[in-house]
Amino acid sequence: AQSVTQLDSQVPVFEEAPVELRCNYSSSVSVYLFWYVQYPNQGLQLLLKYLSGSTLVESINGFEAEFNKSQTSFHLRKPSVHISDTAEYFCATLRSGTYKYIFGTGTRLKVLA
Amino acid sequence: SQTIHQWPATLVQPVGSPLSLECTVEGTSNPNLYWYRQAAGRGLQLLFYSVGIGQISSEVPQNLSASRPQDRQFILSSKKLLLSDSGFYLCASSRGKEEKLFFGSGTQLSVL
């Protein structure tokens, strides 16, 4: 079955440093991929999504992710993080032929001053 | 855009007691509705989803049930809570395939 794997449970990084949060997917069919962010004690918010077309997708707050079919990856990157980026980030996929959104185990990003 | 109302924000219940968590959606009609449970280090586990009134799909066998009595109302229930039911419960909604999920602010359930 389709799934996504987030290998890093926690990623500490200093403010203004670049960051990459890894996500790998498993699927033999077309994939829809998403990144969601969760701030403490809140629900999740969509950060960006890939459905088709350009393999590089961007969010309004400086994050970007690249769909890489050969490496079955959809890593999230930001060239310079801010303290306010501290949150948990979830990679997700939509199981083909269904309405089921499947989430990874999450990566907790902690930005240090 | 859609707004998901979910309550209560926190709940402490004894083992064996019943549970009812309610979720209502504003800003759309005929949404797809979801209940997820979030446990530390385990991500979001899909519990139930619904594509219409009275239509409920269960993802994993468990001590919980869901109902959709109205188009924009989704209820998560249990007759007798277990310790393992503790967790952060999130209701979500989407308009259709490939569209983003809108999430409620969640309910932190502690079963003692």
Side-chain angles (χ1 to χ4, degrees):
Chain A
Q2 282 168 269
S3 67
V4 289
T5 302
Q6 293 180 253
L7 294 173
D8 307 305
S9 59
Q10 293 188 65
V11 174
V13 62
F14 285 104
E15 194 174 16
E16 298 183 6
V19 71
E20 177 180 85
L21 306 182
R22 296 182 293 170
C23 173
N24 288 90
Y25 68 90
S26 64
S27 175
S28 59
V29 298
S30 298
V31 293
Y32 302 125
L33 295 163
F34 309 82
W35 276 100
Y36 283 82
V37 60
Q38 183 182 33
Y39 298 104
N41 301 314
Q42 295 184 24
L44 281 72
Q45 305 169 40
L46 180 69
L47 200 56
L48 46 77
K49 65 180 179 181
Y50 171 79
L51 303 180
S52 64
S54 173
T55 57
L56 184 65
V57 290
E58 299 176 350
S59 72
I60 57 173
N61 56 354
F63 283 95
E64 64 179 31
E66 185 167 16
F67 172 67
N68 188 318
K69 190 173 181 179
S70 63
Q71 298 186 7
T72 61
S73 68
F74 190 57
H75 301 331
L76 182 69
R77 302 184 182 97
K78 188 170 186 179
S80 176
V81 294
H82 192 268
I83 294 286
S84 60
D85 293 323
T86 294
E88 189 153 19
Y89 293 79
F90 292 91
C91 183
T93 187
L94 178 63
R95 190 165 285 169
S96 62
T98 78
Y99 293 96
K100 302 179 191 178
Y101 292 84
I102 307 302
F103 286 79
T105 51
T107 297
R108 197 173 295 272
L109 174 65
K110 185 171 178 60
V111 181
L112 308 169
Chain B
S1 66
Q2 301 176 42
T3 302
I4 315 298
H5 298 283
Q6 195 180 339
W7 66 91
T10 59
L11 189 60
V12 180
Q13 293 284 97
V15 170
S17 64
L19 173 75
S20 180
L21 300 182
E22 188 166 341
C23 169
T24 59
V25 181
E26 282 184 9
T28 188
S29 59
N30 195 29
N32 299 319
L33 298 175
Y34 305 80
W35 278 110
Y36 284 90
R37 178 168 58 205
Q38 184 178 13
R42 297 178 64 181
L44 272 71
Q45 180 185 33
L46 179 60
L47 302 177
F48 301 95
Y49 73 98
S50 170
V51 299
I53 295 174
Q55 300 179 58
I56 309 293
S57 295
S58 174
E59 283 300 290
V60 293
Q62 56 203 321
N63 185 43
L64 302 168
S65 62
S67 62
R68 186 171 177 174
Q70 298 180 45
D71 181 45
R72 291 175 289 174
Q73 183 184 29
F74 204 26
I75 298 172
L76 184 69
S77 305
S78 173
K79 292 181 180 178
K80 288 186 178 182
L81 283 169
L82 306 172
L83 288 174
S84 57
D85 292 323
S86 294
F88 190 54
Y89 289 82
L90 288 160
C91 178
S93 169
S94 75
R95 280 294 307 276
K97 281 189 178 183
E98 307 165 18
E99 294 205 19
K100 69 176 182 178
L101 286 172
F102 291 86
F103 281 86
S105 52
T107 295
Q108 183 65 53
L109 172 66
S110 299
V111 182
L112 306 176

